[in-house]
Amino acid sequence: MIQFSHVNKFYGSYQALVDVNATVNKGEVVVVCGPSGSGKSTLIRTVNRLEPIQSGQVLFDGQNVHADLKSAELNRLRARIGFVFQSFNLFPHLSVLENIMLSPVRVNAVKRGEASQTAMRLLDRVGLAHKAKAYPAQLSGGQQQRVAIARALAMEPPVMLFDEPTSSLDPEMVGEVLAVIRSLAADGMTMMCVTHEMNFARDVADCVWFMDAGKILEIGAPADFFSNPQHPRAQRFLSDLHVR
Amino acid sequence: MLSNMITIIEDNWLLLLIGQYPNGPLGGISSTLILSVLGIVLAFPLSVLIALARLSHWKVLNWPATALVYIVRGVPLLMLILWVYFLVPLLIGDSVPGFVTMLCTLVIYEGAFLSEIVRGGIVALPAGQMDAARALGHSHFGAMRYVILPQALYNMMPSILSQFVSTIKETTLGYVINVPELTFAASQLNNRLLTKPFEIFAILAIVYFVVCWSLSELANRLEKRIDKQRQGDDQPAAGPLEHASPQTRGAT
């Protein structure tokens, strides 16, 4: 579904991604982990081209995301990739319901009535139907992130990307957001998730990618990765986190 | 002196209010206000376009917009008025009423200044807003229209109102090209009465002050309300934010 091949990315002379090769299969949940500054977020942002790359290819559903696309093609592509940000990025001038309805109505030309029904169904799914009329500033961080997930789901994307979805949350709110992501995984959604939540990775992931200094150093099933990491850097990372 | 001023107002309030209308062109404070309102209302859409052009990566848009802003910022308004005064008749081959000349000048001048306010408002929003809109599939234009501008313009309302106050004061310069407005009316009065310049121009100052001070006060209140709302979790944000829908905002 998503395929990285020989992806290289530079910020000036600093190389943020070094020859990344990996594949996310349909229905698979991939967790990307690694120390801060290792390129995890950069990598996930190349999938919908929020970050440009200098060489290599990122294929989404067989389509080269970084090819010389017309802007309309790129917009269509992005509309099919759900993306959830660390800082939620809800639109503060719109109510929760309008946040979710905006893109289906304006990008996919869904009728307002239909979009509103879908939005309410999704709000119900993330447990926030009673907050439909509230504004983002009136919600807690965990609630905002759940709305952000509903907003991404409203575009009916075949794949969801999560860029550290719980990193800016108070600890007691992490659980409610992870529960929503877990339920998506249970429904068979293809997902790529950058996170520091190792217990979540162990439970939910089909595959763990460990990154450091712009490289993927290790790819493995969570059972193997957490009990028996191969790369010395991964061993050090896990023992620092006390998850072994 | 105070009684003199009251007498002058009693005798000439109509001239100060509407100029020589209906026997001549509309003037006085009504002309000043119409000129300022039209100036800002026409300058506003222009300023949004200039701001978007300034932020564009395309040199064809970016360059002329930047040049316009720099030139207008670097030239006194009076120069611009005289320049339009002599140039526009040459361009269209016909004489133009002073009111129209002044309006054109104000639109260019205020358009350039407002565009910097608009640009500032756009740049001040967190980059995540644009990222989120683009990630959902909105075009650059769609993201601007539905996500960025509604927030930026709402936040900028106090600044726009302040700019409106400046515009009211700037209309006085229309006097040099005989635009019939409030200052022009006062000076006509002075030419007629001859012996009471201090009283007449004191009245003029008071009128400008009252109008501008009330509007500044309104801007302050608006700013406080917006500040409160930005922090405000406990505030029922629904009311004021609903007023900030793109449609109503366009009317400022």
Side-chain angles (χ1 to χ4, degrees), chain A residues 45 48 50 75 78-79 81 83 85 89-93 102-103 106-107 135 137-138 151 155, chain B residues 128-129 131-139 146-147 150-151 232-233 235-238 241-242:
Chain A
R45 285 168 65 93
N48 65 357
L50 285 178
N75 296 336
R78 281 173 167 163
I81 302 175
F83 199 102
F85 296 84
N89 294 343
L90 292 181
F91 305 136
H93 61 302
L102 179 71
S103 306
R106 297 296 178 185
V107 177
Y135 281 79
Q138 298 166 306
R151 180 176 70 174
M155 299 297 280
Chain B
Q129 291 291 309
D131 280 353
R134 296 310 299 271
L136 284 160
H138 291 272
S139 62
Y146 300 117
V147 175
Q151 295 182 59
D233 325 44
Q235 283 283 321
L241 274 172
E242 259 168 15

Side-chain angles (χ1 to χ4, degrees), chain A residues 113-230:
Chain A
E114 201 181 316
S116 150
Q117 276 178 1
T118 312
M120 284 311 296
R121 187 169 47 76
L122 289 167
L123 275 176
D124 197 40
R125 172 163 191 180
V126 300
L128 289 171
H130 59 295
K131 293 287 187 185
K133 292 213 168 75
Y135 281 79
Q138 298 166 306
L139 303 182
S140 72
Q143 291 173 329
Q144 288 193 46
Q145 192 61 300
R146 285 188 278 156
V147 172
I149 294 172
R151 180 176 70 174
L153 288 173
M155 299 297 280
E156 297 176 349
V159 53
M160 289 283 285
L161 310 180
F162 295 86
D163 184 6
E164 303 203 26
T166 57
S167 296
S168 50
L169 295 177
D170 292 339
E172 71 266 29
M173 290 169 186
V174 170
E176 64 189 61
V177 171
L178 291 183
V180 171
I181 304 176
R182 272 172 213 267
S183 86
L184 282 176
D187 286 359
M189 174 68 84
T190 309
M191 296 198 282
M192 193 173 159
C193 181
V194 174
T195 185
H196 295 288
E197 297 292 329
M198 290 302 132
N199 289 327
F200 167 79
R202 201 194 314 245
D203 296 350
V204 178
D206 297 308
C207 187
V208 177
W209 301 356
F210 176 77
M211 289 186 77
D212 187 37
K215 299 189 192 97
I216 296 184
L217 297 181
E218 188 160 344
I219 293 180
D224 300 334
F225 176 75
F226 288 107
S227 58
N228 187 22
Q230 300 301 308

Side-chain angles (χ1 to χ4, degrees), chain B residues 4-55:
Chain B
N4 278 342
M5 281 166 70
I6 291 169
T7 317
I8 293 172
I9 293 176
E10 272 171 359
D11 293 346
N12 301 288
W13 60 274
L14 201 60
L15 179 73
L16 293 172
L17 202 63
I18 59 172
Q20 290 169 325
Y21 191 79
N23 305 318
L26 184 69
I29 184 80
S30 38
S31 171
T32 291
L33 288 177
I34 290 172
L35 197 55
S36 313
V37 170
L38 277 181
I40 278 284
V41 165
L42 295 177
F44 179 71
L46 178 71
S47 73
V48 173
L49 292 179
I50 297 174
L52 292 180
R54 283 262 277 157
L55 290 167

Side-chain angles (χ1 to χ4, degrees), chain B residues 19 36 41 97 134 147 170 184 194 200 224 233 248:
Chain B
S36 313
V41 165
R134 296 310 299 271
V147 175
E170 280 151 5
F184 185 79
L194 285 174
I200 290 171
K224 282 201 190 105
D233 325 44
T248 42

Side-chain angles (χ1 to χ4, degrees), chain B residues 70-234:
Chain B
Y70 273 68
I71 290 170
V72 171
R73 275 200 311 202
V75 172
L77 178 56
L78 188 54
M79 295 302 109
L80 204 62
I81 293 170
L82 293 173
W83 195 62
V84 174
Y85 181 69
F86 291 114
L87 187 80
V88 171
L90 279 182
L91 281 179
I92 62 176
D94 202 355
S95 72
V96 179
F99 184 89
V100 176
T101 307
M102 192 59 197
L103 184 59
C104 291
T105 318
L106 281 177
V107 169
I108 298 169
Y109 191 77
E110 297 306 325
F113 274 84
L114 276 179
S115 81
E116 286 298 276
I117 297 177
V118 174
R119 194 172 67 97
I122 292 173
V123 172
L125 290 179
Q129 291 291 309
M130 187 51 131
D131 280 353
R134 296 310 299 271
L136 284 160
H138 291 272
S139 62
H140 179 79
F141 180 78
M144 276 292 172
R145 174 159 172 212
Y146 300 117
V147 175
I148 304 297
L149 283 177
Q151 295 182 59
L153 297 184
Y154 181 65
N155 294 343
M156 284 166 347
M157 262 154 46
S159 309
I160 292 174
L161 205 51
S162 309
Q163 197 62 35
F164 179 60
V165 171
S166 304
T167 309
I168 291 174
K169 290 185 285 186
E170 280 151 5
T171 56
T172 54
L173 285 174
Y175 174 72
V176 297
I177 56 167
N178 293 330
V179 178
E181 40 77 55
L182 182 59
T183 307
F184 185 79
S187 122
Q188 268 183 317
L189 200 55
N190 186 42
N191 289 343
R192 184 142 53 79
L193 300 181
L194 285 174
T195 55
K196 306 218 163 37
F198 186 78
E199 285 86 346
I200 290 171
F201 288 110
I203 293 171
L204 186 64
I206 291 168
V207 173
Y208 276 117
F209 179 83
V210 167
V211 171
C212 293
W213 178 83
S214 335
L215 286 167
S216 299
E217 196 53 27
L218 188 64
N220 282 341
R221 290 205 184 157
L222 207 61
E223 198 162 355
K224 282 201 190 105
R225 199 162 106 175
I226 290 174
D227 274 352
K228 215 182 217 170
Q229 209 170 75
R230 281 198 199 124
Q231 305 155 353
D233 325 44
D234 306 327

